[in-house]
Amino acid sequence: MSLLYAKGGGAVQIAEQIGARIKSGELRPGELLPPVRQLAAELAVNPNTVASAYARLRDAGLVATRGRAGTRVLERPLTAVNPAPQVPPGLRDLASGNLDAALLPALGVQDVFPQQSGYDISGDLPALCTLTADWLQAQGVALSEPAVFSGALSAIEKALRSHAQPGEAVWVEDPCWPPLLTLLRHLRLRPLPLAMDRQGCRLPENQAACAVILTPRAQNPTGISLSAGRAQEWRAFLARHSGCLAIVDDFWGPLSQQPLHLPFDGDRGLYLLSLSKFLSPDLRIALACGNPQLLQAMRADRYISERWVSHILQQIAARLWEQAQRDGGLLRARQAYQARREALTQRLNVLSPLSVPVGEGLHLWLPVRSETAAAQLMAQRGWLVQGGEPFRLKSGPAIRVSLANVGLERLAQLAQDLTDALSAGVAVN
């Protein structure tokens, strides 16, 4: 790198000069800063002064110091998030990943929930924690007492803030859920892609990471679930790499027809159950179980940010969950989503050269020659699908098709249109 620093100066001044060059883009992400002794000699200052300046930059989240590997500039943090795209008139939405509102439990207007009047609320709602513990027991899983957080992404953020340092790497499924990649960038963590196959996320072949984030069932966007054999491979791998935290995002949870295979033993990892998919996306609640020390740190993080999750929301969630279990709403939703998926994959496997796994969940992930050409052809025929680029790191071009907004009567036409889209255009992605 070209050194333009003013000679001399203290640690604060050196850190400010380097920081300004990072923020202006003159020093780019991944660029290596000079070794401490080299820069100290060029600036005619004590090496301890440069080391202190680098420490200030590290604490500010601008660089990561990795011992003999040196000090590197980190990615810029997230500054804005694009709003959700609007569905153009005349297109049926198969892109957004929304749910079928008719399959969500309804909250009666007669329900009244007691409100807390002070700021001395403590603890999580026992009824909601009990529902979670009972459901996990029915899944054959024994974990620590659940803790309540404001959604799965918030819980993942708190776990990574407690466990990881800026500049470290995190293994993720490829393709994966785009907000997770955005979160990692915001936390200045490096995603390392792991390929998916029909048994779930494959194990790393090389490199090292401080954490891995896995989806045990209905992975978004592929719909693949973690097999018993693959989960056992992960348990053996994580037992050999005790410093790697396994975070399991079981977002499909009670809507799944597959058994829950955890990739970690006992309380050595973190299990998350989001309520969004089976109760309502607007219920920003997730329950976490697992490593007690990690959960304690996550609770401390929650206390200094949102402090608690609204007890009114927790009461609504508990009431809806009990209602959905009692009136069979969960079973109806589970069967309806799976029936659509099986009908579409069967037609696709007859019409197209692909062998599409049935899987489960809302989404199908279909390899294409050109994402742009496939999406354009589908739009011409009245379907809005999602191009795969935001989901993938190293995997090939594909489109994601969400099934909430299409009924069984439209699946034959959808299968024919998707078959035509698979080979549309040229392989330009």
Side-chain angles (χ1 to χ4, degrees), residues 101-108 111 131 135 254-255 275-280 283 315-335:
L103 296 176
L104 293 172
L107 183 66
D111 290 317
L131 279 167
W135 178 79
L255 295 179
L275 307 189
S276 295
K277 291 297 183 289
F278 70 98
L279 295 183
S280 169
L283 283 175
Q315 291 175 71
I316 292 172
R319 187 79 61 88
L320 287 177
W321 195 345
E322 291 171 340
Q323 172 188 316
Q325 288 180 324
R326 184 172 57 251
D327 65 12
L330 289 177
L331 178 61
R332 287 193 298 274
R334 184 186 309 136
Q335 292 174 339

Side-chain angles (χ1 to χ4, degrees), residues 113-163:
F113 301 95
Q115 294 176 255
Q116 302 283 355
S117 60
Y119 288 92
D120 55 350
I121 301 173
S122 62
D124 300 320
L125 189 71
L128 189 56
C129 293
T130 298
L131 279 167
T132 304
D134 291 346
W135 178 79
L136 281 172
Q137 185 176 16
Q139 300 289 299
V141 173
L143 291 171
S144 61
E145 180 180 351
V148 183
F149 294 93
S150 299
L153 203 62
S154 175
I156 293 172
E157 177 186 10
K158 295 181 190 311
L160 291 175
R161 285 190 185 278
S162 299
H163 179 77

Side-chain angles (χ1 to χ4, degrees), residues 55 94 292 312 396:
L94 305 184
I312 295 177

Side-chain angles (χ1 to χ4, degrees), residues 146-407:
V148 183
F149 294 93
S150 299
L153 203 62
S154 175
I156 293 172
E157 177 186 10
K158 295 181 190 311
L160 291 175
R161 285 190 185 278
S162 299
H163 179 77
Q165 296 295 321
E168 289 190 301
V170 176
W171 281 309
V172 297
E173 299 158 333
D174 184 19
C176 73
W177 184 42
L180 180 59
L181 299 178
T182 303
L183 173 64
L184 295 178
R185 176 169 173 251
H186 182 62
L187 296 177
R188 301 180 182 276
L189 298 171
R190 295 183 293 114
L192 297 179
L194 296 177
M196 300 288 296
D197 62 25
R198 296 194 178 209
Q199 295 190 66
C201 186
R202 298 175 63 177
L203 272 66
E205 295 180 357
N206 49 40
Q207 298 183 294
C210 69
V212 59
I213 302 172
L214 299 170
T215 311
R217 301 186 281 198
Q219 194 261 352
N220 181 6
T222 66
I224 292 170
S225 296
L226 198 63
S227 70
R230 183 60 53 78
Q232 178 57 44
E233 292 175 7
W234 271 108
R235 287 194 292 272
F237 175 86
L238 292 168
R240 298 193 302 269
H241 298 81
S242 58
C244 180
L245 170 66
I247 300 175
V248 172
D249 180 13
D250 192 18
F251 77 97
W252 199 237
L255 295 179
S256 177
Q257 300 189 105
Q258 299 297 320
L260 175 58
H261 301 301
L262 289 181
F264 60 84
D265 291 316
D267 282 340
R268 296 180 62 178
L270 182 70
Y271 171 85
L272 300 175
L273 174 66
S274 169
L275 307 189
S276 295
K277 291 297 183 289
F278 70 98
L279 295 183
S280 169
D282 206 36
L283 283 175
R284 310 307 299 164
I285 294 178
L287 292 109
C289 314
N291 185 283
Q293 292 75 29
L294 178 62
L295 281 174
Q296 183 178 1
M298 293 168 62
R299 288 188 178 101
D301 189 320
R302 181 186 63 185
Y303 182 77
I304 62 174
S305 52
E306 63 264 40
R307 295 186 64 186
W308 71 86
V309 176
S310 165
H311 274 222
I312 295 177
L313 281 181
Q314 291 191 61
Q315 291 175 71
I316 292 172
R319 187 79 61 88
L320 287 177
W321 195 345
E322 291 171 340
Q323 172 188 316
Q325 288 180 324
R326 184 172 57 251
D327 65 12
L330 289 177
L331 178 61
R332 287 193 298 274
R334 184 186 309 136
Q335 292 174 339
Y337 284 127
Q338 193 63 20
R340 296 176 200 180
R341 186 181 187 93
E342 290 178 359
L344 182 57
T345 55
Q346 288 172 5
R347 286 179 169 86
L348 282 172
N349 286 333
V350 170
L351 294 172
S352 76
L354 296 179
S355 175
V356 183
V358 174
E360 64 172 356
L362 281 175
H363 312 298
L364 284 180
W365 181 252
L366 301 176
V368 296
R369 295 180 65 195
S370 165
E371 291 177 8
T372 300
Q376 288 176 345
L377 186 148
M378 293 299 291
Q380 291 169 2
R381 300 188 182 184
W383 309 100
L384 180 67
V385 299
Q386 175 69 56
E389 193 276 334
F391 299 83
R392 54 190 180 87
L393 294 168
K394 290 187 176 181
S395 55
I399 56 173
R400 190 192 74 166
V401 181
S402 297
L403 301 177
N405 294 318
V406 57

